[in-house]
């Protein structure tokens, strides 16, 4: 049975489309990415390790989104927001020197990084790779506050014969996850033994995330969400997204007992403006 992260596959599907199109259309698609608005999931952590009654809290207050593109001819922002806004959503303060790694597959790398909470905030494009453009790409990464820079020294925008290789630097920031755990639908036998019509089971829990801080464990059954039944994993993911930035109470079944766990979900960023 396959677990799914609360991060949506939307980004991957868009990148599939992006890589199949000619270069001009591909760059237009890059600029329209909305920083994983339904998938990539973010916010501050709040430990809630004991049972807690349902309560309503105000959403996490984020700085007002401000369009402030970097004035750099080589930079293509995917999130057209100022640094203060992005910094409010990141997992840790921006490093003095971003980590630089060599990329293998643009699409594959993005999927793998998304599973760790990394959001692609922009690209740096240069005609060719050399010592000068490498240093320029790193300096640009510092300017935009990247946590990680992925180098593609001979990047092909598409597979057409007319396409020429360029130097691509992909800039990533690690945001805090909306939930931070995988989950799956219950089997028919599990629903029958629990006497329920739906629910999900928690799989892997990522450390330092809302799910981890709320002491959710692999194997827990989540049967309720703020007093409402959870029908399946799709509905559970929708519930999480709808309450982003708020404290929610999950009805959890563990070791023969039902208990409430309060989880402070991560915040969702405002969608980036389209050009």
């Amino acid at each position: 049975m396959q677990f799914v992260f609360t991060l949506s596959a939307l980004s991957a599907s868009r990148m599939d489309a992006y890589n199949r199109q000619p270069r001009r259309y591909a760059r237009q698609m890059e600029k329209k990415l909305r920083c994983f608005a339904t998938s990539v999931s973010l916010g501050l952590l709040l430990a809630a390790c004991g049972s807690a009654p349902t309560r309503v809290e105000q959403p996490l207050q984020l700085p007002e989104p401000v369009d402030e593109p970097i004035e750099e001819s080589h930079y293509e922002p995917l999130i057209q927001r100022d640094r203060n806004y992005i910094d409010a959503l990141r997992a840790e303060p921006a490093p003095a020197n971003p980590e630089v790694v060599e990329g293998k597959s643009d699409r594959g790398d993005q999927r793998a990084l998304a599973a760790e909470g990394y959001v692609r905030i922009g690209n740096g494009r240069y005609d060719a790779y050399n010592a000068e453009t490498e240093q320029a790409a790193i300096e640009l990464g510092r300017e935009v506050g990247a946590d990680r820079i992925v180098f593609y020294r001979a990047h092909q925008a598409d597979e057409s014969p007319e396409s020429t290789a360029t130097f691509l630097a992909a800039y990533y920031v690690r945001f805090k996850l909306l939930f931070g755990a995988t989950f799956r639908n219950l089997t028919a036998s599990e629903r029958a033994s629990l006497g329920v019509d739906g629910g999900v089971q928690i799989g892997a829990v990522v450390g330092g995330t809302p799910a981890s801080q709320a002491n959710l464990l692999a194997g827990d059954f989540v049967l309720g969400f703020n007093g409402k039944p959870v029908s399946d994993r799709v509905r559970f993911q929708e519930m999480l997204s709808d309450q982003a930035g708020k404290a929610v109470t999950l009805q959890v079944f563990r070791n023969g007992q039902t208990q409430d766990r309060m989880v402070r979900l991560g915040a969702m960023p405002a969608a980036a403006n389209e050009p």
Side-chain angles (χ1 to χ4, degrees):
M1 256 174 225
Q2 184 176 5
F3 290 97
V4 296
F5 270 100
T6 55
L7 295 171
S8 165
L10 178 61
S11 61
S13 65
R14 285 185 175 176
M15 290 307 298
D16 288 339
Y18 151 69
N19 279 272
R20 290 196 300 267
Q21 302 301 322
R23 172 180 289 183
R24 179 179 300 176
Y25 182 67
R27 293 191 178 184
Q28 291 174 349
M29 287 296 294
E30 279 187 326
K31 294 180 181 179
K32 292 185 179 181
L33 292 175
R34 294 180 176 271
C35 58
F36 306 98
T38 61
S39 67
V40 181
S41 302
L42 327 156
L44 300 177
L45 307 176
L46 178 66
C49 298
S51 299
T54 302
R55 71 182 188 187
V56 178
E57 293 195 5
Q58 293 300 313
L60 181 66
Q61 296 299 312
L62 296 174
E64 187 68 22
V66 176
D67 293 340
E68 192 176 277
I70 301 295
E71 297 296 333
E72 223 288 349
S73 60
H74 295 285
Y75 186 60
E76 297 175 352
L78 301 182
I79 301 180
Q80 295 177 326
R81 301 299 185 198
D82 68 320
R83 279 285 302 273
N84 289 336
Y85 186 79
I86 291 178
D87 286 348
L89 297 171
R90 63 191 311 143
E92 297 178 350
N97 295 298
E99 178 186 8
V100 179
V101 299
E102 294 291 332
K104 297 180 180 179
S105 164
D106 196 358
R107 286 177 291 172
D109 293 341
Q110 182 154 324
R111 291 191 188 100
L113 289 170
E116 298 178 34
Y118 284 92
V119 177
R120 192 164 177 169
I121 64 169
N123 296 318
R125 291 186 181 276
Y126 302 84
D127 291 336
Y129 173 82
N130 53 50
E132 182 179 350
T133 55
E134 176 184 309
Q135 188 59 37
I138 294 174
E139 290 293 339
L140 180 56
R142 293 192 187 102
E143 183 179 355
V144 301
D147 289 323
R148 183 175 294 185
I149 309 174
V150 183
F151 279 175
Y152 301 93
R153 302 189 186 199
H155 180 261
Q156 298 283 151
D158 57 73
E159 298 179 357
S160 65
E162 296 80 12
S163 177
T164 59
T166 61
F167 172 36
L168 171 67
Y171 299 109
Y172 287 88
V173 171
R174 186 170 182 266
F175 286 172
K176 293 178 180 176
L177 299 178
L178 172 69
F179 186 54
T182 61
F183 46 86
R184 65 165 176 83
N185 288 330
L186 301 187
T187 64
S189 60
E190 288 169 338
R191 293 195 301 269
S193 64
L194 294 172
V196 296
D197 295 326
V200 297
Q201 186 182 42
I202 299 296
V205 179
V206 180
T209 61
S212 173
Q213 294 295 323
N215 197 30
L216 292 176
L217 303 177
D220 284 348
F221 295 100
V222 180
L223 307 179
F225 187 105
N226 280 350
K228 298 180 180 179
V230 174
S231 56
D232 54 30
R233 66 177 179 83
V234 174
R235 180 55 185 150
F236 184 53
Q237 186 164 331
E238 291 174 349
M239 288 174 160
L240 292 171
S241 297
D242 290 344
Q243 297 298 313
K246 299 179 182 179
V248 301
T249 300
L250 304 182
Q251 183 186 17
V252 176
F253 185 83
R254 178 194 300 172
N255 297 330
Q257 295 183 339
T258 300
Q259 53 189 287
D260 287 342
R261 292 287 175 184
M262 190 176 69
V263 185
R264 179 64 178 265
L265 300 176
M268 298 288 284
N273 285 349
E274 295 186 8

